[in-house]
Amino acid sequence: MFPHDKLDWTLSRLDKRVERQPDEPAARLELAQHALSRGLWHDGGEAVLNKALTQARRVMQADPGHAGAA
């Protein structure tokens, strides 16, 4: 499996996890980190980067002191 294919699979899995548990900041942060990687280094583009930013902002709204999302 190519790295970008594995990353797409991971993003899909994390999307489902966030849908099931929307109040879990760890899942949102992991989704944001993987989306950032996809957007910057794996031709994900602006839409994926926007998704990363949105998820990080939601973590910050839930916990303003969260170091990982800052």
Side-chain angles (χ1 to χ4, degrees):
M1 182 180 287
F2 292 110
H4 59 276
D5 291 331
K6 184 175 181 182
L7 187 55
D8 287 341
W9 175 82
T10 301
L11 285 169
S12 173
R13 183 181 57 84
L14 288 169
D15 275 331
K16 291 175 187 172
R17 182 175 163 196
V18 168
E19 285 178 17
R20 284 191 316 266
Q21 302 169 331
D23 295 331
E24 184 184 350
R28 285 194 185 277
L29 183 59
E30 190 175 355
L31 178 58
Q33 291 170 338
H34 281 82
L36 181 65
S37 175
R38 177 73 167 120
L40 290 177
W41 296 289
H42 297 279
D43 297 327
E46 187 175 343
V48 179
L49 291 172
N50 188 34
K51 180 178 189 171
L53 180 60
T54 300
Q55 295 303 321
R57 284 181 175 165
R58 288 183 180 167
V59 171
M60 291 297 293
Q61 285 176 350
D63 182 9
H66 198 286

